[in-house]
Amino acid sequence: MAHFAQIDPKNNTVINVIVVSNEECTDAEGNETEAQGILYLRSIFGDNTHWLKTSINNSIRTRYASIGYTYRVEEDAFVRPCPFPSWVYNPDTRDWKAPVAYPQDGKNADGKIIKRYDWNEESQSWFYVFDLSEKDILRQANIGSIDYQFLTRI
C-alpha cells in the first residue's frame, strides 16, 4: 500500500491522507511510482488536486504526513504544527524545539523516552508525568496519528 498526502496549494497544509493500492501506483513497465499514484488520485479527486507520497515508516519527506502538517517545499519535508508559541523551528531536525531541553533523565542511552515529561507553556518548563513501562519503551515509534481512507479500484 502507498500513502499519499493531499496538499492545500494555498498554504501547503496537509488536508487529507489516502492509502492507495500498489496496483494503482504501478506504471506500464511494472514500476511503482509516485507519479502514477498521483495520476490515479487526480482521476478520482480532480486534476486540480495536489498530492505527495508519504511513508508510514518515515523513509521519505522526514515523517509520515498527518492532517494539519505543513509541507515545506524547500526541505521536501512534512512538518508537524508548532505545539507551543515559545517553540522555534529547527531546520536541521525539521521539527520544533522547546526553549528548554527535554530533561536528561527522560531518555535512555539509545534516545528512547523512558520518563514522560510534558511542557508547561506558562512556566516555560517541563514537568514529570510518569515512567514508561518496558513494553511502552520497546514499541516506541516516530509515527504521528494516522488518518486515512483506503482506496482501491473495484
Side-chain angles (χ1 to χ4, degrees):
M1 298 300 237
H3 299 77
F4 287 84
Q6 184 178 10
I7 309 298
D8 182 335
K10 291 178 254 157
N11 56 15
N12 282 348
T13 300
V14 176
I15 56 175
N16 202 358
V17 180
I18 303 286
V19 178
V20 178
S21 72
N22 292 340
E23 177 183 292
E24 303 304 341
C25 298
T26 304
D27 64 18
E29 287 80 40
N31 301 311
E32 186 179 323
T33 69
E34 178 177 26
Q36 191 66 34
I38 292 170
L39 286 172
Y40 172 69
L41 289 166
R42 287 183 174 165
S43 75
I44 296 170
F45 295 100
D47 287 337
N48 62 340
T49 57
H50 301 272
W51 300 91
L52 290 170
K53 192 171 185 180
T54 187
S55 172
I56 199 152
N57 63 10
N58 304 322
S59 62
I60 59 171
R61 300 193 168 105
T62 305
R63 69 183 45 84
Y64 185 75
S66 288
I67 293 173
Y69 282 30
T70 300
Y71 175 68
R72 291 192 177 230
V73 177
E74 64 280 1
E75 296 166 357
D76 190 28
F78 291 112
V79 176
R80 319 169 210 262
C82 182
F84 297 97
S86 65
W87 291 33
V88 295
Y89 183 71
N90 180 340
D92 294 331
T93 62
R94 297 177 179 156
D95 209 353
W96 300 95
K97 183 178 178 188
V100 175
Y102 196 82
Q104 289 186 351
D105 70 338
K107 294 183 179 182
N108 67 14
D110 296 331
K112 301 261 191 248
I113 295 174
I114 57 174
K115 289 185 178 182
R116 169 75 187 270
Y117 289 88
D118 282 344
W119 180 253
N120 182 311
E121 183 68 6
E122 187 175 318
S123 67
Q124 297 284 292
S125 63
W126 295 98
F127 64 93
Y128 172 79
V129 180
F130 57 81
D131 288 353
L132 274 69
S133 70
E134 280 298 313
K135 183 178 174 184
D136 290 333
I137 293 168
L138 290 173
R139 69 178 178 178
Q140 281 184 47
N142 192 22
I143 299 173
S145 63
I146 301 171
D147 188 2
Y148 53 72
Q149 301 171 30
F150 285 93
L151 287 182
T152 186
R153 189 174 296 169
I154 299 175

